[in-house]
Amino acid sequence: MASSSLFPCLTVFFCTISIMAPLTAGQLDYSYYDRACPVLPRIIRWNVWSALRNDSRIAASLLRLHFHDCFVNGCDGSVLLDDTNDFKGEKNAAPNRNSVRGFETIDNIKADLERACPLTVSCVDILTLAAREVVVMSGGPFWPVLLGRRDGLTASEKAANDQLPSPFEPLDKIAAKFTDKGLDLRDVVVLSGAHTIGFAQCFTFKRRLFNYQDSGKPDPILDSSMLSNLQSTCPEEGSNTKITPLDIQSVTRFDNAYYRNLMNNTGLLESDQALMSNSETADMVKSYSLYPYLFYQDFAASMVKLGNVGVLTGETGQIRKVCGSVNYYY
């Protein structure tokens, strides 16, 4: 695929959505690295573009990595930490094991930044900026990112298991987990729209295909033609780790097709299609299915909120030299 179709916003440089956000939040600032590391935007952009050129799945992977970081005790880069003798990290928690990807891209960016601006840019800020860049390069909105987050000193497998939403959970439980992070029901609907790109493993939705709620039958809501295709892709035995697109209409393009899928009962995950079971969330889905600009605007706003959950600033935390391990001499 030509780069012009993969990265429709590169020629314009930014597909900008206006976001009403404060100039600073605590000790975060839009220009935090302007003097200390002016090459930061260029290094982020080049590495993300290079990663996308080699692997179209990396867009969804980096966006998901950012979400999984911020949702577990705040945005502190904890998802990037390897296990140590002191803690079991988040990489092998149930929602992440053999699932989260993109660590190599973050490590490459960090290595370039350590050569250009040693011990200056935090791993969590790298991840936050990379998530924004993959959305823009996939055709989605731009949003301003406050900077100055510090990296956490620990990670928790248990916290990841407890705090991350699951595709098997009912909508009210997922909404409660968002509320715990200072996010609301609109954020649930909007951030679920990230499933317009990426893939899911068969085990995350297979019970809808063969034995929905122990009925011995498929989910009656699921579109019949989609059901037949999915049963071929994900047979009942031995297909748990096979993958299929979350949004078959536009696998690599960030758009509002995800919401049109939900309107047509072709949402892949049970937790996605559940957005149509609640009148309030269903109204939002309908609006986003009709008005892509509204979705882009609200997605950008929700990503700003997500990126500011539980951040460490000032003297709290540290700037890791390597994203997978803590600087123990600090």
Side-chain angles (χ1 to χ4, degrees):
M1 186 178 293
S3 61
S4 60
S5 61
L6 263 178
F7 313 123
C9 297
L10 281 179
T11 54
V12 185
F13 206 69
F14 293 130
C15 295
T16 307
I17 296 291
S18 176
I19 302 297
M20 296 302 293
L23 181 61
T24 60
Q27 297 178 53
L28 300 182
D29 195 287
Y30 295 120
S31 57
Y32 191 86
Y33 298 111
D34 282 4
R35 291 187 178 182
C37 194
V39 296
L40 171 62
R42 187 162 67 249
I43 288 175
I44 294 277
R45 204 167 295 124
W46 167 253
N47 276 280
V48 168
W49 178 83
S50 180
L52 267 172
R53 181 182 58 184
N54 294 321
D55 177 10
S56 61
R57 289 179 58 198
I58 205 68
S61 297
L62 289 172
L63 185 55
R64 183 168 181 254
L65 196 59
H66 174 53
F67 179 87
H68 279 221
D69 180 44
C70 291
F71 231 81
V72 181
N73 297 330
C75 307
D76 62 356
S78 57
V79 73
L80 304 173
L81 287 172
D82 296 320
D83 292 354
T84 71
N85 292 330
D86 299 320
F87 61 78
K88 292 185 69 175
E90 298 162 26
K91 288 184 177 181
N92 289 309
N96 295 334
R97 190 185 311 118
N98 300 319
S99 172
V100 286
R101 305 169 69 247
F103 298 106
E104 297 83 359
T105 301
I106 301 303
D107 289 343
N108 290 341
I109 294 171
K110 182 60 171 172
D112 285 351
L113 287 170
E114 285 302 301
R115 285 188 285 269
C117 322
L119 286 175
T120 300
V121 182
S122 66
C123 295
V124 60
D125 273 349
I126 292 170
L127 182 53
T128 305
L129 287 167
R132 194 266 308 276
E133 289 305 313
V134 293
V135 170
V136 172
M137 290 184 186
S138 300
F142 172 89
W143 61 92
V145 175
L146 288 162
L147 299 167
R149 297 166 189 79
R150 306 265 291 178
D151 295 321
L153 303 178
T154 189
S156 170
E157 180 181 33
K158 183 180 185 304
N161 285 329
D162 291 345
Q163 296 176 28
L164 285 169
S166 162
F168 309 113
E169 291 178 326
L171 179 58
D172 58 347
K173 189 168 183 179
I174 292 174
K177 289 185 174 182
F178 272 70
T179 300
D180 287 344
K181 306 301 174 185
L183 304 172
D184 58 29
L185 193 60
R186 182 168 296 277
D187 296 314
V188 175
V189 179
V190 171
L191 294 177
S192 294
H195 289 168
T196 184
I197 54 175
F199 291 74
Q201 295 185 61
C202 289
F203 83 90
T204 62
F205 58 85
K206 198 160 61 171
R207 72 177 186 179
R208 299 187 72 196
L209 311 183
F210 302 102
N211 189 26
Y212 182 63
Q213 295 183 349
D214 296 321
S215 66
K217 299 178 181 179
D219 184 347
I221 295 176
L222 188 60
D223 174 79
S224 58
S225 60
M226 183 177 182
L227 172 63
S228 178
N229 290 335
L230 289 175
Q231 286 175 332
S232 297
T233 302
C234 301
E236 196 163 5
E237 299 296 332
S239 63
N240 282 350
T241 59
K242 290 183 68 176
I243 59 172
T244 193
L246 285 158
D247 172 11
I248 195 66
Q249 303 302 321
S250 55
V251 179
T252 59
R253 181 170 180 81
F254 194 98
D255 57 22
N256 68 328
Y258 164 85
Y259 297 103
R260 295 196 297 273
N261 293 342
L262 299 188
M263 295 288 292
N264 294 324
N265 292 325
T266 56
L268 183 64
L269 301 180
E270 191 175 336
S271 55
D272 286 336
Q273 195 60 52
L275 295 176
M276 295 302 296
S277 66
N278 172 289
S279 60
E280 187 176 356
T281 57
D283 285 345
M284 296 180 204
V285 168
K286 182 177 181 181
S287 294
Y288 295 139
S289 74
L290 294 171
Y291 306 111
Y293 183 85
L294 177 63
F295 166 51
Y296 285 0
Q297 175 180 275
D298 287 356
F299 184 83
S302 288
M303 288 299 292
V304 170
K305 290 173 66 177
L306 176 68
N308 293 332
V309 171
V311 299
L312 306 176
T313 59
E315 298 301 315
T316 309
Q318 64 178 206
I319 305 299
R320 291 183 210 142
K321 184 175 179 63
V322 176
C323 290
S325 60
V326 172
N327 307 334
Y328 284 105
Y329 56 83
Y330 265 45

